[in-house]
Amino acid sequence: MDPVIMKALLILIVLMNLDKFAERNKCFAFLSFSDQVLSITAKTQEQVELLKNVSTQYETVLWQPVSPEYIKEEEPVHLFVPANSSDTVKDLLQGHAVAHEVLLDNTNEMIELQTRNDSTDPRSSSSYYERYHSLEDIYYWINRTTQEHPEMVKVVLIGSSYEKRPLYALKVHFKKQKQDKKAIWIDCGIHAREWISPAFCMWFVQNNRMWRKNRSYSTDSSCVGVDLNRNFDANWCTEGASDKPCSEIYCGAFPESEPESEAVANFLRSHKDSVQLYLTIHSYSQMLLFPYSCTLDEAENHNELVSFLVMAQEAAQKIRRYYRNTYKYGAGGKTIYLAPGGSDDWAYNLGIKYSFTFELQDRGRYGFLLPPSHISKACNEALIAVKTIALRVIEKTQAPQ
Ligand SMILES: *[C@@H]1O[C@H](CO)[C@@H](O)[C@H](O)[C@H]1NC(C)=O
Ligand SMILES: *[C@@H]1O[C@H](CO)[C@@H](O)[C@H](O)[C@H]1NC(C)=O
Ligand SMILES: *[C@@H]1O[C@H](CO)[C@@H](O)[C@H](O)[C@H]1NC(C)=O
Ligand SMILES: *[C@@H]1O[C@H](CO)[C@@H](O)[C@H](O)[C@H]1NC(C)=O
Ligand SMILES: CC(=O)N[C@H]1CO[C@H](CO)[C@@H](O)[C@@H]1O
């Protein structure tokens, strides 16, 4: 990272949603040969209704949008279809003349790529940071990183998960930091299936060194898990969230009902005067978002937030000959749809005026199954955006009086 940023801002990094994360390999264990991801575009309202039915009444997993109520005409739906539902689903689509194409028909191979442990494979040319890691590996990595660079990286226990796994924040800073140092907060992995997100947090820390849902069981339902990014106290559980435990966007029993969102909220509440920039890392769709998501109202410093992202986009375009990627940007509610209870809105309302959600690669080619070979590009372009924004925040907030 830029030395200017390192001198000016303490960086706090947290990996969220540990219980889900620990189990994510198992989530895929039921997969059989030739499961597919389809991209389906409804042209009529009737086709929209059909897609809602298919995604709720059959054994499929909706990848995009996050929940069936957001399925709209002319907007591609990404649907994971297990092999044994494939014929039924395709018959239904064909019966209603719904256009669809196969996005991925080798999901098993993709999952194998993501979960493969090639740290032992001598032929492997990828570095540690160009692979995905298990939670156990990441705990080990945290420990090793803090031991190897005690002057730069410190670990703080900020809470624990429902299953009592420790939730650590990594403090990354220069040796001689002032007591009242301002900070950047970055959290990764709020949604467990977005593997690129924790990979980015590790990438970020590594770079510095050189210079969805908890697992708790609610009592009245067999469905497991809360969407942590609907669980913060920002228009909590209004339109765009669900109070039904079986929904992907279940908001939880009350704001901060989940130990992980509570730990993050407590930490930020007690450090709100020093944290000047809040970043939460997600995937996929390539978007840079800022408040509000919980309402269509504009944030008070809307134009300033836009200008930061324009600069981030420009910075990323300078390297576009390597990374031909563009990111959409804007206020969450207007750019995608209403999503109350998100951590970025909550942090913003707490007083952290620079608050952003990054939706990393890709746009759906691989979706949540982004191959390890894409990690470095995805992380590098995000890193450029983070640096650009952090420098702007420093200019705005720490300018000599
Ligand atoms: C969707 O499901 C409902 C309830 O099962 C049914 O009444 C409706 O006809 C279905 N619509 C389509 C387009 O399949
Ligand atoms: C599809 O396969 C899964 C895993 O093998 C199984 O649990 C499920 O019941 C099957 N569904 C159908 C409709 O056969
Ligand atoms: C990968 O292999 C290394 C070396 O054998 C081991 O330490 C690590 O725990 C393994 N990781 C996973 C995810 O199995
Ligand atoms: C890190 O490793 C050391 C030595 O192996 C061990 O004593 C310590 O408890 C570990 N710390 C964490 C946070 O896992
Ligand atoms: C909705 C839900 O089940 N939330 C649970 C998350 O975890 C805590 C335990 O730490 C439970 O008290 C909540 O009920």
Side-chain angles (χ1 to χ4, degrees):
M1 177 114 313
D2 198 295
V4 176
I5 299 172
M6 290 295 289
K7 275 184 199 134
L9 293 168
L10 165 73
I11 300 163
L12 296 156
I13 298 205
V14 175
L15 179 70
M16 302 272 289
N17 218 352
L18 306 168
D19 301 331
K20 268 282 177 112
F21 196 90
E23 293 231 314
R24 61 185 187 175
N25 293 5
K26 284 191 214 151
C27 302
F28 292 118
F30 68 91
L31 290 178
S32 59
F33 184 62
S34 75
D35 301 324
Q36 294 184 326
V37 179
L38 302 182
S39 176
I40 314 166
T41 309
K43 305 275 185 206
T44 64
Q45 198 49 42
E46 196 221 333
Q47 294 184 344
V48 169
E49 291 310 313
L50 177 78
L51 288 187
K52 287 184 182 174
N53 283 2
V54 168
S55 64
T56 49
Q57 295 167 10
Y58 294 86
E59 280 175 42
T60 60
V61 182
L62 198 54
W63 275 18
Q64 185 185 287
V66 64
S67 185
E69 56 265 40
Y70 299 118
I71 296 176
K72 281 195 223 149
E73 288 169 41
E74 302 298 340
E75 288 190 11
V77 168
H78 298 166
L79 189 69
F80 179 89
V81 184
N84 60 2
S85 303
S86 176
D87 288 344
T88 322
V89 169
K90 284 184 178 162
D91 285 350
L92 274 168
L93 295 176
Q94 265 145 24
H96 289 74
V98 187
H100 62 276
E101 60 176 303
V102 177
L103 272 182
L104 277 180
D105 66 357
N106 54 346
T107 52
N108 309 74
E109 246 171 73
M110 302 312 302
I111 289 159
E112 212 265 319
L113 269 182
Q114 279 200 330
T115 52
R116 183 164 61 195
N117 187 356
D118 60 4
S119 54
T120 45
D121 181 355
R123 288 164 308 170
S124 163
S125 59
S126 63
S127 77
Y128 184 84
Y129 296 93
E130 291 167 312
R131 295 194 294 270
Y132 295 108
H133 295 280
S134 64
L135 184 57
E136 201 181 307
D137 271 11
I138 294 176
Y139 274 127
Y140 179 76
W141 170 83
I142 290 176
N143 199 339
R144 203 190 51 200
T145 305
T146 50
Q147 283 178 4
E148 284 173 5
H149 304 274
E151 73 297 342
M152 248 199 167
V153 185
K154 289 212 158 39
V155 60
V156 196
L157 182 68
I158 66 165
S160 60
S161 70
Y162 181 67
E163 294 180 347
K164 305 283 177 273
R165 292 187 174 83
L167 182 57
Y168 294 119
L170 283 183
K171 283 182 161 183
V172 185
H173 57 84
F174 268 160
K175 211 177 198 164
K176 292 188 184 112
Q177 65 158 116
K178 286 181 272 159
Q179 279 297 304
D180 61 345
K181 185 132 164 185
K182 301 298 184 190
I184 307 183
W185 170 277
I186 305 178
D187 58 58
C188 291
I190 279 193
H191 293 140
R193 64 183 175 177
E194 302 167 359
W195 289 29
I196 187 65
S197 173
F200 174 75
C201 267
M202 295 171 79
W203 188 273
F204 186 94
V205 171
Q206 166 62 10
N207 203 275
N208 278 293
R209 261 207 284 174
M210 298 300 148
W211 15 285
R212 229 169 233 255
K213 281 187 165 205
N214 88 346
R215 289 202 62 244
S216 41
Y217 295 79
S218 66
T219 45
D220 55 352
S221 164
S222 58
C223 286
V224 173
V226 168
D227 182 344
L228 294 179
N229 210 30
R230 297 288 186 284
N231 192 230
F232 287 82
D233 195 3
N235 289 7
W236 177 80
C237 217
T238 53
E239 185 189 340
S242 170
D243 59 2
K244 304 206 169 40
C246 293
S247 167
E248 266 299 312
I249 49 174
Y250 174 46
C251 58
F254 49 89
E256 295 171 30
S257 60
E258 308 314 298
E260 289 161 336
S261 28
E262 186 191 17
V264 166
N266 281 340
F267 187 90
L268 287 174
R269 265 191 291 268
S270 57
H271 295 81
K272 69 180 164 124
D273 297 328
S274 49
V275 177
Q276 290 182 319
L277 172 57
Y278 173 88
L279 297 168
T280 181
I281 311 296
H282 291 254
S283 78
Y284 61 95
S285 67
Q286 292 179 204
M287 288 194 223
L288 305 177
L289 304 170
F290 53 79
Y292 285 105
S293 288
C294 66
T295 154
L296 297 176
D297 293 349
E298 271 191 4
E300 170 252 322
N301 60 338
H302 178 91
N303 292 340
E304 187 181 27
L305 295 172
V306 170
S307 75
F308 282 24
L309 293 186
V310 170
M311 293 187 69
Q313 185 90 308
E314 280 168 7
Q317 277 182 4
K318 283 186 197 151
I319 58 156
R320 210 149 137 228
R321 57 178 176 276
Y322 309 113
Y323 311 132
R324 291 178 185 285
N325 272 314
T326 48
Y327 281 67
K328 254 173 104 169
Y329 56 85
K334 283 188 177 156
T335 309
I336 334 179
Y337 36 65
L338 287 175
S343 60
D344 57 348
D345 282 358
W346 177 83
Y348 185 81
N349 286 340
L350 186 68
I352 303 172
K353 288 296 162 206
Y354 304 109
S355 175
F356 298 93
T357 295
F358 278 33
E359 294 277 357
L360 305 188
Q361 285 192 28
D362 55 13
R363 285 222 172 91
R365 171 72 187 85
Y366 298 105
F368 298 118
L369 296 177
L370 193 71
S373 56
H374 291 229
I375 293 176
S376 73
K377 283 185 180 178
C379 290
N380 275 334
E381 67 190 14
L383 196 58
I384 288 174
V386 173
K387 278 185 196 177
T388 311
I389 292 171
L391 284 170
R392 290 294 292 146
V393 169
I394 292 165
E395 273 172 41
K396 290 272 181 169
T397 58
Q398 306 192 9
Q401 297 301 307

